[in-house]
Amino acid sequence: MATVCRCGGLIAPGHKFCSDCGSPAAQPSESTSAGKSVSVGDIGVMRGVIDNSTHTTTTIGSQTNISGPVNIQMSQGRTEPSPEELLARARQELQTRQYTQMAETLKQVLQRTPSAVDPHFYLGLATFQGHRPKLASLATVRTAESYLRAAAELDRGCGHALLLWALVKEDAYVLNRMNDPEPKVPELLNRVRSVDRGHLAEIVAHVPAPGNRVWEWAGNRLK
């Protein structure tokens, strides 16, 4: 069984010297307790759990000497969640109405996949924090529109983004008797080919707008 040299290299069975640094195989190595950092000679630090069944230890004062083959089970480092996992987390945060946290999660997704469509849609949804667009400030409406416009530009056939954008414009501009800037609500609705039931339910639940013809159409589709 291979042994560990003071430089951190492995000395194959039957070899008398380390191929990395030339040290003889008999050189002792040093370690701390299992599960802690392990110093090998004077160079480098390894982290892992030492298998106590393959070697013997001798303690002299505060120093522990290891003799015999040393097996170290290396610990696995934490990996960052994938964009898909982050998007799934954002949808869970939507279900519990954690809109601010949801927005932060979605921005992490866009940092890694800026051309993804659904993060833009969900950011538009989260902008209103569960309130209707008619009561929101113009700045809030325009922020939501910027996300939905981006989604519609990335995918011209994104039905749920187009439908939500039309709902927002109907509520914020038409019902408030304000000028509806381009693209107009009818134009957006004409581009909608289909919207899956899941996205319809999210729009109806998180952007409430009773009396809004687009919102009521979406609600009727769920019945």
Side-chain angles (χ1 to χ4, degrees):
M1 185 175 292
T3 57
V4 181
C5 176
R6 74 169 80 190
C7 73
L10 293 178
I11 303 177
H15 287 228
K16 296 182 178 181
F17 298 94
C18 175
S19 60
D20 292 332
C21 69
S23 299
Q27 290 290 340
S29 59
E30 299 177 355
S31 75
T32 60
S33 60
K36 304 295 184 179
S37 299
V38 179
S39 297
V40 182
D42 298 324
I43 303 174
V45 174
M46 295 185 294
R47 293 190 180 276
V49 178
I50 298 176
D51 183 351
N52 292 320
S53 67
T54 60
H55 65 275
T56 59
T57 59
T58 304
T59 302
I60 303 175
S62 60
Q63 177 174 322
T64 301
N65 294 325
I66 298 177
S67 59
V70 178
N71 287 341
I72 299 178
Q73 301 172 5
M74 301 304 292
S75 58
Q76 297 294 325
R78 292 184 60 188
T79 58
E80 293 186 358
S82 67
E84 294 76 16
E85 290 170 331
L86 287 170
L87 184 57
R89 181 192 300 173
R91 295 189 71 171
Q92 291 175 347
E93 290 163 345
L94 176 64
Q95 292 175 6
T96 55
R97 299 183 180 273
Q98 300 178 65
Y99 300 110
T100 301
Q101 182 58 50
M102 174 191 176
E104 292 303 316
T105 302
L106 292 167
K107 288 173 183 177
Q108 292 181 50
V109 179
L110 288 180
Q111 285 177 354
R112 296 164 63 180
T113 54
S115 61
V117 175
D118 266 359
H120 289 95
F121 163 75
Y122 282 114
L123 278 167
L125 194 73
T127 298
F128 295 105
Q129 299 280 304
H131 303 295
R132 71 178 300 168
K134 183 179 180 181
L135 304 178
S137 68
L138 189 57
T140 298
V141 172
R142 287 174 174 168
T143 297
E145 282 193 275
S146 68
Y147 291 125
L148 297 171
R149 185 187 300 276
E153 288 177 350
L154 289 165
D155 180 2
R156 288 188 56 81
C158 184
H160 48 283
L162 293 168
L163 181 67
L164 178 56
W165 193 3
L167 186 158
V168 168
K169 290 170 70 68
E170 176 76 10
D171 218 51
Y173 298 114
V174 177
L175 294 184
N176 278 328
R177 301 182 182 279
M178 295 173 59
N179 178 51
D180 177 18
E182 298 291 342
K184 304 289 186 180
V185 171
E187 178 185 342
L188 292 173
L189 292 176
N190 286 336
R191 288 168 55 185
V192 177
R193 293 294 176 263
S194 64
V195 183
D196 66 83
R197 190 175 181 85
H199 284 119
L200 274 176
E202 289 169 338
I203 291 171
V204 171
H206 297 282
V207 191
N212 180 318
R213 57 175 178 159
V214 181
W215 183 84
E216 291 184 344
W217 176 89
N220 290 331
R221 298 284 292 181
L222 294 171
K223 295 179 180 179

